[in-house]
Amino acid sequence: MNVPISPLANARETDASFPVEVYRRDFPILAKTVNGNPLVYLDSAATSQKPRTVLETIERYYTEFNANVHRGVHWLSEQATRLYEDARGKLQRFIGAAEAREIIFVRGATEAINLVAQSFGRTRLQPGDDIIVSHMEHHSNIVPWQILCEQTGANLRVIPIDDAGELQIDAFERMLSPRTKIVAIVHVSNSLGTVNPVERIIRSAHREGARVVLDAAQSVPHMPIDVQSLDCDFCVFSGHKMYGPTGIGVLYGKAEWLEAMPPYQGGGDMIRSVTFEKTTYNTLPYKFEAGTPHIAGAIGLGAAVDYLNSIGMESIRRHEQELLSYAHSRLQTVGNVKIIGNAAKKAAVISFVLDDVHPHDVGTILDQQGIAVRTGHHCCQPVMDRYGIPATVRMSLGLYNNTEDIDALVRGLEVVRQVFGIANV
Amino acid sequence: MSDLRELYQEVILDHHKKPRNFRRLEGDVRRVEGYNPLCGDRFTVYLQMEGDIVKDVAFEGSGCAISTASASMMTESVKGKTRAEAEDMFQKFHALLTSPQIDTTGLGKLAVFAGVREFPVRVKCATLAWHTLHSALQGKEETVSTE
Ligand SMILES: Cc1ncc(COP(=O)(O)O)c(C=O)c1O
């Protein structure tokens, strides 16, 4: 849809530096005050804020084009269908998929993983087969595989991580065998920030004939991704973490696998013809999109992709990398702070603990100053157990964060230290 | 800052740093675990009854300042009470944090937790140990979860 992004959109691509103050104005929520202080939003890994262009695109869809897709011969339905399919094309190009039919719209990363587990995994796994995940997976990339193991008699194997929060790749490669059928691995860890060497993991897995499911929920919003050069078999991510709406996400799969997979859910749109004797399934991608999809969500996500393209994923990556190293060095100046996860390659996330102060208390005191961070186990209880801690404080970045946000966090942590009487010694 | 001072009062910080009755009870005791999945707070409350009297009560585990201080102050306030008095205190404490009116009668030092009212997500922290005790008083032994 042609909602203008902003008058400055074209200037951006040629702007060598990163005009973060200009981009901040694209996000209406950033002007809010929380508990009497300007909002400092450092929780984009949980969900990102939405730029005005996404909000306006959704509103415009509902005010001007709302209709069901693939169903009506009337003008509105044609428009809605075109916009919905345009969005699919935007997502295809954004992640470098070979064909639009390899983009399946789902609710989010979680649903996509469940779809792969139940449709791909369930028909292929035998008792004694292996599924490999890592110790740093989100619960969403553990539990669907545990369920699948129970259903099929396959075994779940876990790649260990070291003290720095890096995968022990040698251990992974020793774990691989002809029994390995699926490797499900997170690209960027939402709890540690580690960027995993997924190219190597995918190559090694393919040598043993295993298929790789890449959990890209925390990488797609932060760096350029090309599924064809990565050569992953499946790739999943959520719209709401990449400046799009909630309730919409993507399953990418190589057409070869998607073609062979049985439907995940039955209903309208996923069928070609239904009689009580036999139902013929629709072609890709519709075979996996049963029922009326989240049309507005998909179109909104398409607008988010346009927005990201107008800035450029490489620029976003560079900006966030600079900010991440700034945050690392500033946090190290705060007494009693211990950073959890010191991988050589990190993106957008820093988890830390403050000696003698529970993360939940840190979170409350920061919130009083308008600073939003996440505290808890971040749906990664195995990671917390690995480091022997119940929880961490996590700050995570989006393209709109600036050094002032980091400075506010550091000041906020000093207030925590004052409240708890552990001022500088 | 003023709301924060209301929440993190000196007494609370003191009990957080030096929790009282922070130990395991052996022998003929009831032992109930309390767990708050949101933040990972986990306590075990030990309760030793003598007839109808709370003879001893102690706890172990780890949690945030609010939940630790609340557990610590709870043990101090119910020791020596009858089962009915301890139950009554649980009801009053719960009401202090969750009912529309602030009523601190009969709560003594526990009134400092009124500040938690301003922080709805922290109410579970302050009441975790109390829910666990409540369960122990009723003779239950399963894990109490605040979810
Ligand atoms: C690495 C990772 N995988 C999967 C998910 C699940 O995403 P969603 O809840 O949007 O399905 C998340 C979200 O927290 C995540 O960070």
Side-chain angles (χ1 to χ4, degrees), chain A residues 45-46 107-111 113 138 140-141 186 188-190 215 217-218 238 240-241 374 378-379 394:
Chain A
R107 276 195 297 139
T110 303
E111 187 175 50
I113 296 167
H138 189 280
S140 292
N141 203 23
V186 69
V188 172
S189 156
N190 66 306
D215 176 355
Q218 300 291 352
S238 297
H240 69 95
K241 294 183 199 283
R374 172 118 185 241
H378 320 297
C379 299
R394 179 186 73 185

Side-chain angles (χ1 to χ4, degrees), chain A residues 133-137 142 158-161 167 380 382-383 385-386:
Chain A
V133 298
S134 85
H135 206 117
M136 67 173 86
E137 297 310 313
I142 300 175
V158 182
I159 311 168
I161 53 179
L167 288 180
C380 290
V383 172
D385 294 344
R386 168 67 176 75

